[in-house]
Amino acid sequence: MQFTDLRIPIGTRMQLNITGHDYKALTLPAQLLGYRNGATLLAYLAKKPSVTIQRDAKVSVRAGLQSAIIQFDSIIEHVSEYPYFYLHLKYPAAVVIEQQLRRFPRFELDSPANATVTGKPDDAIFAGRIVDISLNGARLVFEQKLPEQEITLSSTIFVVGGQQQLNVKASIKSVPATSTDDSSTFVYGASFLDVSAAQKLLLQALCFELQSGEEK
């Protein structure tokens, strides 16, 4: 498969596995900054690595898309430090579908969250947790029963090496069930609604990292 066939959006999170001339391996998170068909691919690094990255070093690149995890091999052709640190990679000859994902696979997560119930006086806020998540929804646990309607779900999650704010509208779908422990809690299935491009990229990065963690 050709790289251009995938139409990968700019900003897609990637994992660079670099093998230097000393055969030492280095793994770095990066983002797709841009590419020119058949010529070059630019990978942006949020901060300058603590070790020197050499030209002509081999790179294996992995990226998580909505429907698959892809992989391709490349070579570092140039290292740029201004106006920010980024790499010029040799344009990939081919892309491999490393793993075809289920349409919306779910991944375990344990993150505090707030649900703001729309249409209620004073925008009633309920405290709970996200216990698993996918690109289109999540499983939520609350100590109070939620109205079965639309909510705004907010959570601070750790992804791509830092804290990020997840803030999406969701529709409560499943009938609540009490948990099996001593406390009375309610478990809900929620489906995300009208996810913005920025939040969709955040969800993609989170699911990619969670899946990578499951594979280790």
Side-chain angles (χ1 to χ4, degrees), residues 70-202:
I70 65 168
Q71 184 274 332
F72 59 87
D73 295 325
S74 184
I75 294 174
I76 297 175
E77 293 187 322
H78 184 69
V79 179
S80 297
E81 298 190 31
Y82 301 99
Y84 34 73
F85 198 95
Y86 63 98
L87 305 177
H88 292 249
L89 304 181
K90 183 178 180 180
Y91 192 82
V95 175
V96 176
I97 302 297
E98 189 174 276
Q99 182 176 354
Q100 196 75 39
L101 302 179
R102 299 188 302 275
R103 186 160 189 252
F104 294 115
R106 289 188 176 272
F107 306 101
E108 290 185 7
L109 181 68
D110 184 13
S111 179
N114 288 327
T116 303
V117 180
T118 57
K120 288 291 182 181
D122 301 322
D123 286 332
I125 298 177
F126 298 81
R129 304 190 74 81
I130 300 174
V131 294
D132 72 29
I133 196 165
S134 73
L135 291 176
N136 79 325
R139 188 159 59 100
L140 313 172
V141 176
F142 291 90
E143 293 185 2
Q144 294 174 278
K145 189 173 181 178
L146 295 181
E148 292 188 37
Q149 59 184 62
E150 291 185 12
I151 64 171
T152 298
L153 182 67
S154 301
S155 180
T156 300
I157 59 176
F158 190 85
V159 64
V160 198
Q163 289 186 338
Q164 307 286 342
Q165 189 63 35
L166 178 67
N167 190 36
V168 293
K169 290 185 178 180
S171 175
I172 298 298
K173 293 295 185 181
S174 63
V175 177
T178 55
S179 66
T180 56
D181 58 25
D182 293 335
S183 63
S184 178
T185 58
F186 299 90
V187 182
Y188 295 88
S191 178
F192 299 147
L193 303 171
D194 301 324
V195 182
S196 68
Q199 290 290 293
K200 186 174 292 185
L201 283 173
L202 181 61

Side-chain angles (χ1 to χ4, degrees), residues 36-56:
R36 184 175 180 182
N37 292 346
T40 190
L41 184 149
L42 305 182
Y44 165 71
L45 279 63
K47 61 181 180 180
K48 183 178 179 180
S50 57
V51 299
T52 301
I53 295 181
Q54 301 169 316
R55 285 187 58 188
D56 299 327

Side-chain angles (χ1 to χ4, degrees), residues 3 7-13 31-35 42 201 204:
F3 185 84
R7 300 183 182 275
I8 301 176
I10 303 303
T12 294
R13 309 286 180 176
Q31 286 181 269
L32 178 63
L33 184 61
Y35 59 90
L42 305 182
L201 283 173
Q204 288 176 346

